Amino acid sequence: RMTRLRVGHGFDVHRLVAGRPLKLGGIEVPHSRGLEGHSDGDCALHAACDALLGAIGQGDMGRHFPSRDPRWHGVASREFLEETVRLVREAGFTLGNLDITLIAQEPVLAPYLEPMRTTIAEVLEVEPELVSVKAKRARSSASNRCVHRREKAPGPAKGKAVAMSWNPMLTIWGKF
Ligand code: MG
């Protein structure tokens, strides 16, 4: 008999660039730069989508929301999550819980974790108790090496990469 308990994992990284609002965890966080992307760049919601899609064995965001499809250009990432939740329900599952860790050097995300949690729970149509959003600062030598390596990368991306000092990364485990 197949178990009805599923666990998925999602991960995403977007670059921080000037001239865009910072959309993260379904809300706007005041900051001088925002996340690059063909949508609003909200990597927290993207990782959530990938975790949910992985848990139901339906690939990832690239399969369901291809960037070449103009339908998804500039959309709020909560639309991706809404559609993903629809797929989860269609597959016969309900959310057990969702645990999110944001990794970033800046800005300080602590004041925004609770609004993110509430917003994500609202999109998922579950009690906020089932959603957890945590944040860690990324000041390790490993992340510095990562930044330095990108600065040395050849090609036209070089100038842009120097401006990147902030790497949001997420891991999400969804349990059904
Ligand atoms: Mg993404």
Side-chain angles (χ1 to χ4, degrees):
R1 187 176 170 272
M2 259 178 73
T3 176
R4 297 296 287 168
L5 180 71
R6 301 287 189 91
V7 176
H9 176 241
F11 172 82
D12 199 14
V13 184
H14 280 233
R15 290 202 314 174
L16 201 71
V17 294
R20 282 174 67 90
L22 176 55
K23 296 283 178 60
L24 195 60
I27 66 167
E28 187 167 332
V29 175
H31 194 52
S32 56
R33 291 176 289 169
L35 295 169
E36 197 175 45
H38 70 272
S39 65
D40 63 9
D42 190 333
C43 54
L45 298 196
H46 296 178
C49 288
D50 272 358
L52 296 170
L53 291 169
I56 60 169
Q58 292 197 24
D60 60 12
M61 284 189 72
R63 177 165 140 194
H64 294 273
F65 316 108
S67 54
R68 63 182 179 275
D69 186 345
R71 180 183 165 194
W72 305 114
H73 283 201
V75 304
S77 291
R78 66 181 292 153
E79 287 187 39
F80 296 135
L81 192 55
E82 279 163 5
E83 173 62 9
T84 299
V85 168
R86 197 189 65 73
L87 292 167
V88 167
R89 291 209 186 95
E90 202 175 77
F93 291 95
T94 53
L95 184 77
N97 70 288
L98 186 68
D99 187 18
I100 302 176
T101 302
L102 307 164
I103 304 174
Q105 281 180 308
E106 58 167 86
V108 173
L109 294 170
Y112 307 103
L113 300 180
E114 198 55 36
M116 288 179 190
R117 181 194 196 194
T118 312
T119 302
I120 292 167
E122 193 184 290
V123 177
L124 295 170
E125 295 179 339
V126 298
E127 296 300 309
E129 289 70 30
L130 298 184
V131 177
S132 155
V133 185
K134 312 186 293 294
K136 292 282 178 190
R137 312 215 53 184
R139 278 178 167 157
S140 70
S141 55
S143 73
N144 287 338
R145 273 202 302 276
C146 176
V147 170
H148 291 153
R149 197 161 46 233
R150 287 182 189 214
E151 281 173 358
K152 285 174 193 159
K158 191 180 175 184
K160 270 165 83 183
V162 174
M164 183 196 68
S165 64
W166 189 76
N167 266 352
M169 289 183 279
L170 308 130
T171 54
I172 296 183
W173 296 88
K175 188 176 152 193
F176 296 79

